[in-house]
């Protein structure tokens, strides 16, 4: 009998320990749950969303209590007490109006509030009640800019310019605030390769234990880059000095596993080290260039791989010293060369020096650098090129455009060329479709072929321009994958006085195809070749001329 009692007590003790072990939460679990509930209450709870509380201070107050919670029941009780202290929530009479609205829900995810591994039933029910009776009307922390499209902007956020990077609470505020801004208001969140929940868990240990201010700044950059959005940057740019403020005097393109010099920022300085267009750099300080690119990819912003390679300059050849040793391949010979690096302001360089607006190629093909043409010049340009068999619109390296006016010449009917989504502020995490814009004319004026040239440098406004022109009757798009960062920019401050930005609305083709990350539709793809770069050939333009003549 005694033996049975001993076995029974042993089983009870074992089950108790196992249950406690299962219910216990790691620090990462504790903090990731806190980040989610803090952000959820910030945008959903009526009393918090209207600005009644100093919500940053509330986070600092709750953090030590969270860390002392030993299991999910204690943690759930901590959050229940917190929510109770915020005041009663009246039933919402207008919260069901979303039914029947054309909503975009691919970014929406509140499944975590019913996760029984993290919360007890009482807390899950309380969070669900808050969702169903969420704040409506004007918000304290988020609003729309006036006008169209409806772009959201963050307001009433303290930036803490005297921020001390060694303060753990402030570092966690930085992560939690940014994570929730993206969680509820970034239109392309669902396209990020990593699950956004996993990103939070991945960064919590890094924000908890940075080795230095230098490492902390790199972590901020990596967090912003994790959005995989070419618009997503962090300012001031001095933070890039973490990777070195001395620059090589040339631009390069990453092809295969090498960096090929394509143009000079300062030809005289480049010639001092006998550098030439077409030189192939295979190693930097003894390391393979592609290996360095892969290692630093988490710090290189870009919506897609092609754009990341364009933006890799800071990380491959820049540095903190005034010289660097490279392995160079030229004329079938490989040799080592030590070259000088300079502050960028030392270069005699002007961005986009090309002054040519339009010209004839041969006697029958028109060429237009679309970013150089002003609206009032469009009729004159199209009249002079009216007799050509084709017109090439070059959208590469352009910052401004006049697409609607050119489209009036190349269409026989008005067509919708895009539609977009914008954040639903009354149901954070959900987005609403807006009516698409139309472009074109009811009478075809120019009847020749139309060719659009695009590549990795074609971003944002120029991608939108391409979509606008693509509604033409006889349009072919030639080139390479564009930047994949379309739509208006949404700027805001991060903790510590840093400024950042994201794509604020989602842009789609009328059939629902995304342009974010993917870029615009391309009919004929032209990959860069090492030989073409060495010879200084414009392979995309050459392919367009070949297409027209054939």
């Amino acid at each position: 009998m005694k033996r049975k009692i001993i076995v029974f007590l042993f089983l009870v003790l074992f089950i108790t320990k196992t249950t406690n072990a299962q219910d216990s939460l790691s620090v990462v679990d504790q903090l990731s749950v806190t980040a989610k509930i803090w952000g959820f209450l910030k945008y959903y709870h009526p009393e918090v969303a209207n600005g009644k509380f100093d919500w940053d201070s509330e986070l600092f107050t709750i953090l030590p209590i969270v860390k002392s919670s030993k299991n999910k029941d204690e943690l759930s009780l901590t959050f229940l007490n917190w929510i109770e202290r915020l005041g009663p929530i009246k039933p919402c009479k207008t919260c069901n109006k979303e039914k029947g609205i054309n909503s975009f829900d691919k970014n929406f995810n509140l499944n975590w509030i019913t996760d029984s591994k993290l919360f007890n039933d009482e807390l899950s029910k309380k969070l669900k009640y808050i969702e169903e009776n969420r704040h409506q009307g004007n918000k304290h922390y988020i609003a729309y800019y006036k006008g169209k499209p409806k772009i959201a902007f963050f307001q009433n956020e303290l930036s803490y310019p005297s921020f001390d990077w060694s303060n753990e609470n402030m570092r966690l505020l930085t992560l939690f605030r940014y994570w929730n801004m993206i969680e509820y208001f970034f239109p392309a969140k669902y396209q990020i390769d990593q699950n956004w929940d996993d990103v939070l868990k991945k960064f919590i240990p890094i924000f908890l234990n940075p080795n230095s201010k230098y490492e902390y700044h790199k972590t901020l950059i990596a967090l912003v880059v994790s959005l995989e959005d070419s618009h997503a940057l962090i300012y001031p740019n001095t933070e890039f000095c973490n990777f070195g403020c001395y620059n090589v005097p040339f631009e390069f393109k990453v092809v295969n596993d090498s960096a090929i010099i394509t143009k000079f920022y300062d030809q005289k300085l480049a010639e001092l080290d006998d550098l030439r267009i077409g030189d192939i750099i295979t190693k930097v300080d003894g390391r393979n260039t592609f290996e360095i690119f892969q290692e630093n990819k988490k710090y290189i912003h870009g919506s897609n791989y092609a754009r990341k390679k364009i933006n890799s300059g800071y990380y491959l050849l820049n540095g903190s010293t005034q010289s660097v040793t490279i392995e160079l391949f030229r004329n079938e010979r490989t040799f080592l060369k030590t070259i000088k690096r300079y502050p960028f302001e030392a270069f005699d360089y002007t961005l986009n020096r090309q002054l040519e607006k339009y010209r004839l190629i041969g006697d029958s093909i028109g060429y237009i650098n679309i970013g150089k043409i002003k609206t009032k010049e469009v009729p004159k340009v199209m009249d002079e090129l009216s007799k050509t068999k084709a017109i090439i619109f070059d959208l590469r390296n352009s910052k401004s455009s006049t697409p609607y006016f050119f489209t009036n010449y190349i269409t026989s009917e008005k067509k919708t060329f895009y539609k977009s989504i914008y954040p639903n502020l009354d149901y954070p995490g959900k987005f609403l479709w807006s009516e698409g814009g139309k472009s074109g004319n009811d009478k075809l004026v120019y009847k020749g072929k139309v060719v659009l040239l695009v590549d990795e440098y074609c971003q944002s406004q120029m991608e939108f321009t391409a979509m606008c022109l693509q509604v033409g009757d006889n349009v072919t798009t030639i080139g390479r994958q564009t930047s994949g960062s379309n739509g208006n920019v949404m700027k805001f401050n991060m903790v510590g006085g840093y400024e950042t930005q994201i794509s604020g609305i989602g842009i789609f083709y009328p059939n629902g195809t995304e342009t974010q990350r993917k870029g615009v539709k391309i009919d004929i793809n032209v990959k860069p070749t090492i030989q073409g770069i060495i010879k200084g050939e414009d392979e995309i333009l050459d392919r367009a001329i070949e297409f027209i003549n054939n």
Side-chain angles (χ1 to χ4, degrees):
M1 182 68 178
K2 287 183 178 179
R3 186 174 180 181
K4 288 182 178 179
I5 293 173
I6 291 170
V7 171
F8 175 75
L9 291 173
F10 175 79
L11 288 173
V12 170
L13 181 63
F14 176 77
I15 292 170
T16 302
K17 284 186 175 181
T18 303
T19 302
N20 288 339
Q22 289 174 343
D23 286 346
S24 65
L25 299 171
S26 68
V27 173
V28 171
D29 286 333
Q30 291 173 332
L31 292 179
S32 63
V33 166
T34 304
K36 289 181 178 181
I37 290 184
W38 179 79
F40 172 78
L41 296 175
K42 180 176 184 177
Y43 297 119
Y44 273 78
H45 194 291
E47 297 300 324
V48 179
N50 69 13
K52 182 176 180 179
F53 298 91
D54 181 342
W55 205 235
D56 294 351
S57 295
E58 288 285 334
L59 175 63
F60 302 147
T61 301
I62 202 73
L63 278 174
I65 306 173
V66 166
K67 292 176 183 177
S68 66
S69 301
K70 297 182 179 63
N71 52 51
K72 80 170 187 180
D73 287 326
E74 287 189 16
L75 190 61
S76 293
L77 182 60
T78 295
F79 291 133
L80 282 166
N81 290 336
W82 190 22
I83 293 170
E84 187 69 24
R85 187 163 51 83
L86 299 177
I89 301 172
K90 296 179 181 178
C92 176
K93 297 179 180 180
T94 60
C95 286
N96 291 324
K97 284 186 175 181
E98 283 76 16
K99 292 180 179 179
I101 292 178
N102 190 8
S103 182
F104 181 92
D105 296 341
K106 287 186 178 181
N107 290 307
F108 185 73
N109 177 25
L110 289 181
N111 295 332
W112 56 270
I113 67 178
T114 57
D115 189 342
S116 60
K117 294 179 181 178
L118 300 174
F119 310 128
N120 62 25
D121 289 343
E122 186 181 357
L123 178 57
S124 291
K125 289 177 182 177
K126 176 66 73 173
L127 295 173
K128 191 66 180 175
Y129 178 81
I130 294 172
E131 178 196 352
E132 293 170 349
N133 298 277
R134 61 196 168 274
H135 185 270
Q136 303 290 288
N138 294 331
K139 314 288 189 291
H140 182 70
Y141 296 106
I142 188 78
Y144 289 127
Y145 281 111
K146 292 181 179 180
K148 293 184 178 181
K150 285 189 175 180
I151 306 167
F153 70 96
F154 300 108
Q155 58 185 6
N156 298 316
E157 297 282 13
L158 296 176
S159 60
Y160 303 99
S162 58
F163 164 78
D164 177 4
W165 75 271
S166 64
N167 184 318
E168 181 182 298
N169 279 354
M170 294 298 289
R171 293 197 307 268
L172 290 176
L173 172 64
T174 303
L175 175 61
F176 292 3
R177 184 193 288 181
Y178 186 83
W179 187 88
N180 280 288
M181 286 171 163
I182 301 306
E183 170 73 5
Y184 294 109
F185 304 107
F186 181 44
K189 187 193 77 172
Y190 74 101
Q191 290 181 276
I192 299 173
D193 286 342
Q194 302 176 77
N195 182 283
W196 193 236
D197 289 352
D198 293 339
V199 171
L200 177 61
K201 289 185 175 182
K202 169 185 165 185
F203 275 96
I204 283 174
I206 307 173
F207 272 80
L208 276 177
N209 302 296
N211 296 321
S212 64
K213 183 178 181 181
Y214 164 76
E215 288 297 329
Y216 176 70
H217 286 162
K218 288 180 69 174
T219 300
L220 287 181
I221 295 170
L223 176 63
V224 172
V225 166
S226 68
L227 298 190
E228 294 163 321
D229 177 14
S230 298
H231 277 146
L233 302 169
I234 182 169
Y235 301 101
N237 281 335
T238 51
E239 296 311 320
F240 281 113
C241 285
N242 286 327
F243 305 93
C245 278
Y246 290 99
N247 304 262
V248 289
F250 56 83
E251 190 173 288
F252 60 87
K253 184 182 290 290
V254 176
V255 180
N256 300 330
D257 59 353
S258 302
I260 306 171
I261 297 177
T262 54
K263 70 178 182 181
F264 296 131
Y265 292 127
D266 192 307
Q267 187 163 345
K268 289 182 180 179
L269 293 179
E271 288 175 349
L272 288 176
D273 284 322
D274 186 30
L275 296 169
R276 306 176 191 177
I277 300 296
D279 281 349
I280 302 174
I281 301 168
T282 53
K283 290 184 179 180
V284 180
D285 283 336
R287 299 184 62 201
N288 180 278
T289 52
F290 193 69
E291 177 186 316
I292 300 172
F293 170 75
Q294 290 291 94
E295 181 182 297
N296 287 285
K297 195 165 62 172
K298 62 184 176 182
Y299 303 117
I300 305 172
H301 72 280
S303 298
N304 51 50
Y305 194 64
R307 184 67 191 192
K308 279 182 177 286
K309 289 199 291 185
I310 290 297
N311 293 334
S312 63
Y314 272 108
Y315 315 91
L316 288 185
L317 286 159
N318 283 8
S320 56
T321 61
Q322 296 183 39
S323 64
V324 61
T325 300
I326 59 175
E327 182 181 86
L328 203 66
F329 182 78
R330 179 196 296 166
N331 297 331
E332 306 300 322
R333 191 167 70 90
T334 300
F335 53 94
L336 294 177
K337 177 184 283 288
T338 299
I339 62 173
K340 291 183 179 179
R341 294 190 285 211
Y342 310 84
F344 197 85
E345 56 268 21
F347 297 148
D348 179 22
Y349 176 72
T350 303
L351 184 66
N352 200 10
R353 284 178 170 170
Q354 184 182 359
L355 299 176
E356 178 184 60
K357 293 183 177 182
Y358 65 101
R359 61 184 167 92
L360 277 174
I361 298 175
D363 57 2
S364 59
I365 299 175
Y367 171 89
I368 295 175
N369 183 355
I370 193 168
K372 296 291 183 183
I373 306 296
K374 296 178 180 178
T375 301
K376 63 182 180 181
E377 297 174 317
V378 170
K380 175 178 178 290
V381 172
M382 291 304 294
D383 181 62
E384 290 189 21
L385 300 179
S386 62
K387 300 294 193 291
T388 57
K389 66 179 180 182
I391 294 178
I392 296 171
F393 289 94
D394 197 341
L395 280 68
R396 304 168 296 172
N397 286 317
S398 295
K399 298 297 181 184
S400 60
S401 63
T402 50
Y404 294 98
F405 301 96
F406 281 116
T407 308
N408 288 338
Y409 289 83
I410 62 175
T411 56
S412 58
E413 62 176 309
K414 287 187 177 180
K415 295 180 183 177
T416 299
F417 69 96
Y418 81 97
K419 60 181 181 179
S420 63
I421 57 171
Y422 62 93
N424 182 349
L425 303 190
D426 285 334
Y427 210 147
K430 294 196 174 192
F431 288 73
L432 298 171
W433 286 104
S434 69
E435 293 183 7
K438 289 190 174 184
S439 178
N441 192 9
D442 293 330
K443 180 181 179 182
L444 184 64
V445 179
Y446 179 78
K447 298 179 181 179
K449 290 182 180 180
V450 174
V451 176
L452 312 181
L453 307 186
V454 299
D455 66 5
E456 307 91 330
Y457 291 96
C458 184
Q459 177 173 311
S460 195
Q461 175 62 44
M462 297 317 299
E463 291 179 290
F464 194 73
T465 296
M467 295 173 69
C468 182
L469 293 171
Q470 283 175 338
V471 301
D473 289 30
N474 191 13
V475 175
T476 302
T477 306
I478 297 177
R480 292 189 288 272
Q481 183 181 27
T482 58
S483 179
S485 190
N486 210 340
N488 300 65
V489 171
M490 180 179 177
K491 293 185 177 182
F492 54 98
N493 290 328
M494 295 178 74
V495 175
Y498 300 105
E499 187 177 4
T500 188
Q501 60 185 46
I502 58 176
S503 296
I505 60 174
I507 301 292
F508 300 75
Y509 280 98
N511 66 359
T513 300
E514 302 101 334
T515 59
Q516 185 73 15
R517 299 204 67 191
K518 295 180 180 180
V520 303
K521 293 177 182 178
I522 296 175
D523 301 302
I524 300 175
N525 202 288
V526 181
K527 293 182 179 180
T529 66
I530 293 176
Q531 207 58 35
I533 294 171
I534 291 173
K535 292 180 180 178
E537 296 174 348
D538 188 338
E539 296 175 288
I540 294 176
L541 178 59
D542 291 345
R543 183 65 182 88
I545 294 170
E546 178 189 345
F547 165 77
I548 291 166
N549 289 330
N550 288 340

